[in-house]
Amino acid sequence: MMPLTMIGPGVSARIRRIGGNDETRRFLGNLGFVSGSDVEVLNMLGESVIVKIKDSRVALNADMARHILI
């Protein structure tokens, strides 16, 4: 497993685990980031990661993206 920030733009992967405290996991879960979901990195802009998940585009800061393990 590795954090979402380790893959480049245009790469798709399946989420294997969500780390962090309860509040972080709840926040990411509300955005659709749950184990077993497919996610695609669209772009990386500085400290932000733009991803496509469940037909939505979401921008996350790098700290939050590090909690998503693929």
Side-chain angles (χ1 to χ4, degrees):
M1 282 190 287
M2 64 181 167
L4 185 64
T5 55
M6 297 296 290
I7 63 174
V11 178
S12 295
R14 180 156 289 151
I15 298 173
R16 300 176 85 190
R17 194 177 82 132
I18 303 295
N21 60 30
D22 289 339
E23 183 179 341
T24 300
R25 288 194 306 269
R26 190 176 317 114
F27 174 76
L28 290 171
N30 288 338
L31 291 175
F33 294 94
V34 294
S35 296
S37 294
D38 292 324
V39 63
E40 178 183 357
V41 174
L42 298 175
N43 205 347
M44 299 180 107
L45 302 168
E47 289 293 313
S48 297
V49 180
I50 300 172
V51 298
K52 180 180 177 185
I53 186 160
K54 296 184 180 181
D55 297 326
S56 296
R57 291 182 181 176
V58 179
L60 299 170
N61 66 26
D63 290 334
M64 198 60 72
R66 286 187 195 102
H67 293 293
I68 302 168
L69 302 174
I70 54 171

